[in-house]
Amino acid sequence: MWRMARPRKPLLSRDRIVEAAGALVDSEGLEAVSTRRLAAALGVSGPSLYNHFRTKDEILDAVADAVSARVDLSMFSSEDGRSWRLALHDWAHSYRDALSDHPNIVPVLARGPGRRPAGLRVADAVFGAMTEAGWPPAHATRIGALMRYFILGSAVGSFAGGFVDDRAAYDPSDYPHLGRAHLLAERQHEVDEGAFETGLTALLDGLAIQYEALKGTT
């Protein structure tokens, strides 16, 4: 019986395109993504990509949404039982971990969720959990925005990584308070993680004060 031979390469799909584009973004940055580069990586002709995505921006949106889909939202479930503060804390770390693995896609995520399903689920989960915890809708919206600003900002670059490990680069006559700045580079992870947790704690402390004040007025 005659049977059709299997294709040598897997058929082109949205998932394959997103995976290839994501790998390219991770290794070379946003500007490296083009239909020509993607087609070559996938072993297909350029026009075939347009059967799945109309534009390069749509591809990058899909890559960004794939990263958003990795963020844990279970702490916002009504069955979870975590306080709003602990839920925000744990979600912030999950979100930052996802971004830390794919920092080059952060500028696309910073544009907002738009129509991206996973991004919208994130926004919906945060807003829903905050209003259910008793925050007024306007405040819940601001909290969602504030958390995004803080988390995305933390993923844009490393503070500690911005210093070189050369003591001579920081002449005390010019920078009298940077005598140990050359040590920051080798402690990049420790410094950046500590800074994130310090900022997150301060942010949540401030929100807790506002929350108690709002409860006192009702």
Side-chain angles (χ1 to χ4, degrees), residues 11-172:
L11 295 176
L12 192 62
S13 66
R14 286 179 64 93
D15 287 345
R16 284 193 66 213
I17 295 170
V18 171
E19 183 179 358
L24 199 54
V25 170
D26 285 346
S27 61
E28 299 184 42
L30 293 172
E31 296 305 316
V33 178
S34 68
T35 54
R36 180 184 62 81
R37 291 287 303 276
L38 285 176
L42 293 164
V44 299
S45 63
S48 64
L49 298 177
Y50 295 114
N51 292 326
H52 301 276
F53 294 97
R54 292 177 298 175
T55 65
K56 169 184 168 179
D57 283 343
E58 282 193 0
I59 296 174
L60 292 177
D61 268 348
V63 173
D65 214 39
V67 173
S68 293
R70 300 177 187 182
V71 181
D72 182 13
L73 299 176
S74 63
M75 65 285 295
F76 294 126
S77 167
S78 57
E79 292 80 28
D80 182 84
R82 270 173 269 197
S83 67
W84 66 265
R85 176 180 175 139
L86 183 57
L88 283 179
H89 176 276
D90 294 348
W91 167 70
H93 275 281
S94 176
Y95 198 173
R96 184 170 179 267
D97 287 345
L99 298 183
S100 295
D101 291 337
H102 308 281
N104 290 340
I105 200 64
V106 170
V108 179
L109 286 163
R111 300 171 191 165
R115 298 176 183 270
R116 299 194 296 267
L120 290 170
R121 282 192 290 273
V122 171
D124 181 73
V126 176
F127 180 83
M130 294 305 102
T131 54
E132 288 175 12
W135 285 98
H139 284 75
T141 299
R142 294 169 197 158
I143 290 170
L146 170 64
M147 296 299 292
R148 280 190 68 255
Y149 300 155
F150 177 69
I151 298 165
L152 289 170
S154 75
V156 169
S158 164
F159 173 80
F163 292 87
V164 298
D165 60 0
D166 179 8
R167 180 191 294 268
Y170 308 108
D171 190 323

